[in-house]
């Protein structure tokens, strides 16, 4: 049952007993006829005076806020869209290694012009030409990653129409198979097959890291609002306590038991307390709007956050955290991917600098005729073998320079990867140490908060009895408030470090499971 349905249910239960009571009290028929309008009147009064009303505050825990941000925030949708984009990019890569069926052609290919025709005596004549030279080609090809070549099968049909002479001819290749193989050249298929799966896996882990970054951000906004909520509670409590103490001080002043200076000091404290309430309400509203906007909460009204419980003790070690990070993080995959890309650049520089050759061979059948069926009657054998060469003879050291540049860049990449690995490990080690320190600090702030609250209660009682000065009471005020805020700050630091550790390792140490 949602909040609105729950409110209607409560209001109905509020109105119905009152209406029944009026109907039972009045035995006249007129009262019974007025029962329905009376019910609506009482229902409206219940709405007006109801403590719960339709604007019931939304109560949320830290885990609920984090989950809402992961499910429905704009950042989560952006991360999901990026993940989907990388998925289709990977599917595009995989399609390069699948058979490709292609239909190409020129339909029509009409031409009407004057062409140059050399005569037997060496002169030039321009003869009018009107023809249509159409063609269709159906081919099936398959790339071979190991060699970088491709095997293909093809079927071709060509039609030539001479409109001046009213003549039609057909030429075609019913069937032919061939193989194209680059020689001593860079094989992009082989390198892509090693690198693209790493890029895809990297994108999947990047998505998980993005969700953990969202969790970290949501937890920060949660504690911003929780701190504003606590500050408002402190300010309102201090306002009530200051008013009570000022009342007691006025009575004592009337009896001559304290000075005018103490009254003025309390009046000043009362003004500060009222100002603090106003500032806290403003901060609460701003923090609430920021949290709602980030987690995509459309509910109206106030949000009430529940203070997280004391966290359970987690068994952590730097070695284990670093191991999980290398097994799960996108950066760990990127280390290998960057090294392979540098190796690919060197291989490409070497492959493009030397002898470049392409061998093409085709075996099939071909024929010609004045009709299409004649092409398939006793076709003639067709064989083609072609070797294309590209040999640089004099390039003034360009080939060597490109190779040396790629090798130097590879060495630089290796150094950068080694440095990034060290930073990677150091960051996790520092985070584990920080997490354990903040866990201990949280335990101390819990004790400090309890002591400060008890000290304030004692100071308040002593002041009423006349055993404590207003200055000492103000100090107790300040210590109590600061201890409460320190506790919320300690909770925030702890949970921030917890979600940061999850992001750095992509591992949940509480459930002992890999994050997905």
């Amino acid at each position: 049952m949602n909040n609105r349905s729950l409110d209607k249910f409560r209001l109905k239960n509020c109105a119905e007993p009152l209406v029944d009571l009026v109907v039972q009290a009045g035995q006249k028929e007129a009262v019974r006829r007025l029962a329905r309008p009376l019910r609506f009147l009482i229902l409206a009064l219940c709405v007006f005076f109801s403590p719960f009303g339709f604007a019931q505050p939304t109560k949320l825990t830290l885990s609920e806020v984090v989950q809402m941000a992961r499910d429905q925030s704009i950042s989560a949708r952006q991360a999901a869209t990026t993940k989907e984009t990388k998925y289709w990019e990977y599917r595009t890569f995989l399609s390069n290694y699948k058979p490709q069926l292609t239909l190409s052609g020129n339909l029509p290919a009409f031409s009407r012009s004057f062409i140059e025709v050399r005569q037997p005596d060496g002169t030039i004549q321009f003869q009018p030409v009107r023809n249509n030279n159409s063609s269709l080609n159906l081919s099936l090809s398959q790339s071979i990653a190991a060699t970088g070549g491709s095997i293909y099968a093809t079927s071709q049909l060509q039609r030539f129409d001479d409109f001046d002479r009213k003549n039609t001819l057909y030429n075609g290749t019913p069937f032919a198979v061939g193989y194209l193989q680059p020689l001593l050249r860079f094989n992009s298929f082989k390198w892509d097959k090693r690198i693209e799966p790493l890029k895809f896996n990297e994108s999947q882990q990047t998505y998980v890291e993005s969700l953990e970054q969202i969790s970290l951000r949501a937890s920060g906004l949660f504690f911003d609002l929780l701190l504003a909520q606590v500050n408002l509670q402190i300010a309102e409590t201090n306002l009530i306590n200051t008013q009570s103490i000022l009342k007691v001080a006025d009575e004592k002043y009337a009896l001559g038991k304290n000075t005018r200076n103490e009254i003025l000091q309390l009046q000043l404290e009362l003004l500060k307390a009222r100002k603090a309430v106003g500032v806290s309400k403003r901060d609460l509203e701003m923090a609430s709007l920021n949290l709602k906007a980030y987690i995509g909460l459309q509910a109206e009204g106030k949000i009430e956050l529940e203070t997280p419980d004391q966290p359970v003790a987690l068994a952590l070690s730097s070695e284990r955290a670093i191991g999980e990070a290398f097994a799960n993080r996108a950066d760990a995959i990127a280390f290998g991917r960057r090294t392979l890309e540098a190796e690919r650049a060197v291989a490409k520089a070497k492959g493009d600098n030397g002898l470049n050759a392409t061998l093409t061979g085709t075996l099939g059948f071909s024929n010609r005729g004045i009709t299409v069926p004649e092409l398939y009657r006793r076709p003639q054998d067709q064989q083609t073998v072609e070797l294309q060469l590209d040999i640089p003879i004099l390039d003034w050291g360009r080939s060597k320079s490109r190779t040396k540049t790629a090798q130097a860049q590879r060495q630089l990449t290796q150094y950068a990867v080694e440095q990034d690995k060290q930073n990677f490990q150091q960051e996790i080690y520092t985070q584990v140490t920080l997490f354990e320190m903040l866990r201990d600090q949280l335990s101390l702030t819990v004790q400090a908060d309890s002591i400060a609250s008890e000290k304030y209660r004692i100071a308040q009682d002593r002041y009423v009895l006349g055993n404590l000065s207003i200055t000492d009471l103000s100090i107790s005020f300040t210590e109590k408030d600061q201890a409460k805020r320190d506790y919320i700050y300690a909770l925030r630091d702890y949970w921030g470090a917890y979600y940061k550790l999850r992001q750095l390792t992509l591992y949940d140490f509480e459930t002992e499971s890999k994050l997905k």
Side-chain angles (χ1 to χ4, degrees), residues 67-205:
Q67 192 60 47
M68 291 174 68
R70 293 167 66 98
D71 291 340
Q72 61 191 29
S73 67
I74 295 178
S75 298
R77 293 198 294 267
Q78 290 175 338
T81 302
T82 302
K83 177 185 178 183
E84 184 178 6
T85 301
K86 295 299 181 180
Y87 168 76
W88 289 113
E89 289 179 356
Y90 183 66
R91 287 289 300 270
T92 302
F93 154 74
L94 292 178
S95 67
N96 295 331
Y97 298 85
K98 304 293 184 181
Q100 308 292 321
L101 182 62
T102 305
L103 177 64
S104 60
N106 296 315
L107 291 174
F110 176 76
S111 175
R112 181 178 181 178
S113 64
F114 290 89
I115 63 173
E116 178 185 303
V117 178
R118 184 175 296 275
Q119 303 300 311
D121 60 356
T123 61
I124 299 296
Q125 291 289 336
F126 293 96
Q127 300 293 335
V129 173
R130 287 192 310 132
N131 60 46
N132 178 49
N133 190 8
S134 302
S135 63
L136 277 177
N137 180 20
L138 181 65
S139 61
L140 178 66
S141 62
Q142 171 65 60
S143 301
I144 301 176
T147 63
S150 62
I151 187 172
Y152 59 89
T154 183
S155 179
Q156 300 177 353
L157 176 62
Q158 180 181 6
R159 172 173 171 162
F160 181 78
D161 295 299
D162 188 345
F163 297 111
D164 292 327
R165 298 168 182 80
K166 294 181 173 50
N167 187 22
T168 299
L169 293 175
Y170 289 92
N171 179 44
T173 302
F175 178 75
V177 295
Y179 183 72
L180 185 148
Q181 177 60 56
L183 302 176
L184 304 176
R185 298 183 64 180
F186 173 69
N187 184 359
S188 62
F189 290 104
K190 182 182 70 174
W191 286 99
D192 288 346
K193 200 169 185 178
R194 299 176 62 186
I195 294 175
E196 291 300 326
L198 292 179
K199 294 174 67 176
F200 176 69
N201 292 335
E202 186 180 347
S203 69
Q204 300 301 299
Q205 298 309 105

Side-chain angles (χ1 to χ4, degrees), residues 241 245 452-460 473 476-477 480:
N241 291 340
I245 294 175
S453 298
E454 181 67 21
K455 181 182 177 182
Y456 168 71
R457 286 193 294 269
I458 294 174
Q460 189 176 13
L473 181 62
S476 297
F477 266 168
K480 173 186 70 70

